[in-house]
Amino acid sequence: MPRYARSEREALADLMLELGPDAPTLNDGWTTRDLAAHLLVRERRPDAAGGILLPPLRRYGEAVRRRVAAGPYAELVARVRRPPVWSPLSNPLTDELVNTMEFFIHHEDVRRARPGWLPRDLPAGLQAALWKRTALLARMALRRFPADLLVQAPGYGELGVGRGGERLRVVGAPGELTLFLSGRQRVARVQLDGPGALAERLRTAGLGI
């Protein structure tokens, strides 16, 4: 059985080592060092990981992330590469479910922050795995968007979402839709079919969870 979470994690760790600690990412203001620290806090510091999603815990979570980021860079990347089996996010039962999308997105955060990047030719199995997760992401990210949205991944599926109104179609490969719906619209190669003003509103919306 393919382990896409593991392969994306390994590829990200390799790229982080290749580029060094100061390479840019798509995460505003974050370097590869900052991203590595984020991933470590997410998996290894449950006391601070809540700050990723919960505003009341954000200050504490960011303070912990900054302390982690101050460690030796090669050691940070090595720890990203070897997740703890005790973590609820990276144990053998949850790793593929929880981390496939996470590490795909962050791998692309580093890849697409570099000039001259091109989309990868992803395996069909990875695209299918991403579509399963993207369908849920679309329902969460677009549930309040004021349009009748049709999200289509040709060959993988489609779904309707949004609050209703004018029709807007969002078309792309599952990997590109994943990036678009996680707030990385400016680098995601998707097609928007519908009223121009509505399409532009979606391209600039604060998407993600």
Side-chain angles (χ1 to χ4, degrees):
M1 179 178 177
R3 296 181 62 193
Y4 296 116
R6 166 56 59 181
S7 62
E8 288 298 304
R9 182 191 294 270
E10 291 281 358
L12 173 58
D14 289 344
L15 186 56
M16 283 178 160
L17 283 182
E18 175 189 338
L19 298 180
D22 300 318
T25 74
L26 295 181
N27 307 98
D28 288 342
W30 276 10
T31 63
T32 41
R33 176 186 291 279
D34 294 308
L35 179 55
H38 159 78
L39 292 169
L40 291 177
V41 169
R42 174 181 173 269
E43 288 186 329
R44 296 170 181 263
R45 291 294 302 268
D47 61 313
I52 296 171
L53 295 175
L54 302 175
L57 301 177
R58 195 157 293 161
R59 180 177 296 181
Y60 173 67
E62 178 62 8
V64 172
R65 190 197 64 79
R66 287 179 179 274
R67 287 199 297 271
V68 171
Y73 181 68
E75 181 180 321
L76 299 182
V77 176
R79 294 174 68 203
V80 169
R81 193 189 297 274
R82 297 191 302 272
V85 295
W86 53 260
S87 172
L89 299 181
S90 59
N91 66 68
L93 295 177
T94 62
D95 186 43
E96 198 68 16
L97 177 65
V98 174
N99 287 323
T100 297
M101 178 180 285
E102 177 81 7
F103 279 87
F104 169 77
I105 289 173
H106 288 315
H107 186 192
E108 294 301 318
D109 281 340
V110 179
R111 289 188 70 256
R112 300 191 186 203
R114 306 169 67 195
W117 66 268
L118 293 171
R120 288 182 286 156
D121 185 13
L122 300 179
L126 176 54
Q127 295 276 31
L130 289 172
W131 171 247
K132 289 180 181 178
R133 294 152 179 81
T134 298
L136 176 60
L137 178 61
R139 291 186 177 96
M140 296 177 69
L142 300 175
R143 66 190 184 281
R144 296 178 180 172
F145 193 80
D148 178 13
L149 291 160
L150 180 63
V151 180
Q152 294 181 315
Y156 295 92
E158 65 179 39
L159 63 91
V161 70
R163 278 206 327 243
E166 293 183 287
R167 168 61 66 93
L168 182 62
R169 194 163 65 108
V170 186
V171 185
E176 299 302 315
L177 291 171
T178 296
L179 295 170
F180 188 92
L181 295 169
S182 64
R184 292 147 175 94
Q185 296 101 306
R186 64 188 175 89
V187 298
R189 296 193 173 181
V190 304
Q191 177 182 334
L192 301 183
D193 296 328
L198 195 62
E200 181 60 21
R201 180 171 179 175
L202 184 57
R203 286 195 182 278
T204 57
L207 301 181
I209 299 174

